[in-house]
Amino acid sequence: MALLAAACEDRTVGKVSDNAPALEVLVSEAESRDVPLSIEMVGSTLGTQDVPIRARIEGFLETMDFQEGTFVKKGDLLYTIDPQPFQAKLVEAQSMLAAAQTTLTKAIADLARIKPLAEMNAVSEQDLDSAVAVDAAARASVRASEAAVDLAEIELSYTRISAPIDGLIGITKARPGEFVGREPNPVVLNTLSDIDPIRVRFSISEREYLIMARTYMASGKADQRSGDGKRSARRQDLELILADDSVHDHKGGVVAASQSIDQETGTYTIEASFPNPNKVLLPGQFARVRAMYQVLEDVVVIPRQAVSEMQGLFRVYVVNADGEVEVRTVTLGPQTGYDIIIEDGIAAGDTIIVEGLQKVRPGMTVRTAPFKAATDSVVSQG
């Protein structure tokens, strides 16, 4: 009886195992679509103009006439430096000019008297030469005094520091009462930046330079079109990706570049310009620039996590029409943040296992459920 019961129990266990539900895996269908290729370059933002505000004379800072971190207009008063020493210097220069002009007046009068006398031989030639020399020296003295007055006026004007451009001004490096204009005291008092448009400076490898040169810098004109109406150079197709992974609302283009590859780093420096009408972007921000350079047409794309690697070979598990698992060796192409291009081994419409790869084996029957993933339409050439 015991043996009979054990035999029945074994058959019951086997039957339950045979009726166990098939493993459920998450699958996605291989797609065929056009995929744009791109490269991403890391850089930082800077103003179209970043103008240092300098104290061009030495003196005590009297006033600061702006609010830090705000926008100012060209010509707005920013700082004043104590003008008294320069006013005194101007008065001194003006006095020297007046004395020189008086001397010149006398020299002109003396020459006017001596010249007709010399023609009548009433005075010697030496007296005439001396009068001519005094006149010339007096004229030179007047010119020097006029230059001294001009210089004194210029130095006095430097006591009022105005905004040279429209832009965003930062935090001051000197406060009223401080002595400025000579090291170690502040010479650069502030920085004024024009941030619309804003620039992004980044460095790229020699390989990326060749891609950019052929696509973005081959033509001197932005968005140039050929005879068939197609674009031959996409100078305004650059995208700006910010630190929070958001994409800037406005596209930009290359505006400046180095004249050579840096031999020490093997990189090439480029600057791109982007509209910044809302003044959201500030100088010094981290940013990535995305440049699309080619479109692959009708390529097979699957989720990147569906690919596994073993001994240098890349494999993908496929569920056939009978619900059985097959393994395919594939050739990979460029990849995106979420997807990867399959050059060989998978056809559009194949059902690809995305999650559950560790539990499946070839020939196993599985149940499928759809895999939901984020989308990313731009491919980065790896």
Side-chain angles (χ1 to χ4, degrees):
M1 291 294 292
L3 291 174
L4 181 60
C8 292
E9 184 179 354
D10 289 342
R11 285 195 297 271
T12 302
V13 172
K15 186 175 181 180
V16 172
S17 177
D18 291 342
N19 292 333
L23 176 69
E24 183 179 87
V25 294
L26 300 184
V27 299
S28 177
E29 187 175 291
E31 298 181 76
S32 177
R33 64 172 186 256
D34 295 345
V35 178
L37 297 181
S38 71
I39 55 177
E40 286 189 3
M41 294 80 62
V42 177
S44 60
T45 58
L46 61 155
T48 300
Q49 296 184 76
D50 291 321
V51 181
I53 306 302
R54 298 178 181 273
R56 302 180 66 176
I57 54 172
E58 299 177 5
F60 287 95
L61 198 63
E62 280 199 335
T63 65
M64 187 181 77
D65 301 276
F66 63 93
Q67 184 177 351
E68 297 160 294
T70 61
F71 288 90
V72 297
K73 295 290 186 180
K74 181 178 180 180
D76 286 353
L77 181 64
L78 303 179
Y79 298 95
T80 60
I81 297 173
D82 180 13
Q84 292 184 7
F86 304 96
Q87 290 171 342
K89 190 174 181 179
L90 176 59
V91 171
E92 180 184 7
Q94 290 171 338
S95 299
M96 297 295 292
L97 174 60
Q101 289 173 335
T102 300
T103 302
L104 175 60
T105 301
K106 181 177 181 303
I108 293 173
D110 290 344
L111 180 59
R113 284 193 300 270
I114 292 175
K115 194 171 184 179
L117 295 175
E119 292 174 353
M120 296 183 298
N121 295 321
V123 296
S124 66
E125 289 291 331
Q126 183 177 0
D127 292 336
L128 177 61
D129 293 342
S130 177
V132 170
V134 170
D135 177 79
R139 293 178 186 277
S141 179
V142 168
R143 288 195 296 270
S145 297
E146 289 173 342
V149 170
D150 291 341
L151 179 59
E153 289 176 342
I154 291 172
E155 289 181 341
L156 180 60
S157 71
Y158 290 160
T159 63
R160 296 176 61 84
I161 303 174
S162 301
I165 60 171
D166 295 349
L168 177 66
I169 195 163
I171 297 175
T172 186
K173 297 179 181 178
R175 300 287 175 179
E178 293 186 51
F179 189 84
V180 298
R182 180 177 62 195
E183 298 292 351
N185 300 308
V187 175
V188 176
L189 305 179
N190 214 316
T191 300
L192 183 61
S193 297
D194 178 6
I195 62 173
D196 183 24
I198 199 161
R199 289 194 175 195
V200 180
R201 179 178 295 168
F202 52 93
S203 296
I204 58 177
S205 66
E206 188 171 348
R207 171 184 169 277
E208 292 169 335
Y209 158 73
L210 294 173
I211 294 173
M212 292 285 288
R214 294 183 181 118
T215 308
Y216 288 88
M217 296 183 291
S219 171
K221 296 181 179 180
D223 201 20
Q224 190 179 60
R225 294 181 181 270
S226 57
D228 58 3
K230 295 182 179 179
R231 290 182 297 181
S232 59
R234 299 177 296 173
R235 294 288 297 275
Q236 299 299 318
D237 284 351
L238 298 179
E239 291 183 331
L240 182 61
I241 306 170
L242 306 178
D244 61 355
D245 290 330
S246 63
V247 179
H248 186 50
D249 294 336
H250 303 274
K251 292 186 177 182
V254 174
V255 293
S258 298
Q259 96 289 356
S260 64
I261 302 291
D262 189 318
Q263 293 294 318
E264 294 184 0
T265 62
T267 59
Y268 185 73
T269 301
I270 295 176
E271 286 187 9
S273 179
F274 294 85
N276 187 28
N278 295 328
K279 309 295 192 297
V280 173
L281 303 180
L282 300 176
Q285 286 183 254
F286 168 84
R288 289 174 289 152
V289 176
R290 177 187 290 160
M292 287 180 286
Y293 63 91
Q294 184 183 357
V295 176
L296 299 179
E297 299 180 351
D298 296 326
V299 292
V300 177
V301 179
I302 66 172
R304 187 172 58 177
Q305 67 192 80
V307 180
S308 60
E309 182 182 2
M310 178 176 289
Q311 297 179 348
L313 297 177
F314 296 97
R315 305 187 304 172
V316 172
Y317 289 96
V318 178
V319 180
N320 63 22
D322 298 326
E324 295 180 350
V325 177
E326 299 177 359
V327 63
R328 307 268 184 89
T329 300
V330 297
T331 302
L332 304 182
Q335 65 183 20
T336 72
Y338 302 102
D339 297 333
I340 191 166
I341 294 173
I342 303 298
E343 296 180 349
D344 186 48
I346 295 294
D350 285 347
T351 301
I352 309 300
I353 297 177
V354 181
E355 289 190 3
L357 301 179
Q358 297 81 4
K359 300 177 182 179
V360 298
R361 299 290 181 271
M364 178 185 294
T365 300
V366 295
R367 292 183 299 112
T368 62
F371 170 76
K372 296 181 180 180
T375 59
D376 188 356
S377 59
V378 181
V379 176
S380 177
Q381 180 70 49

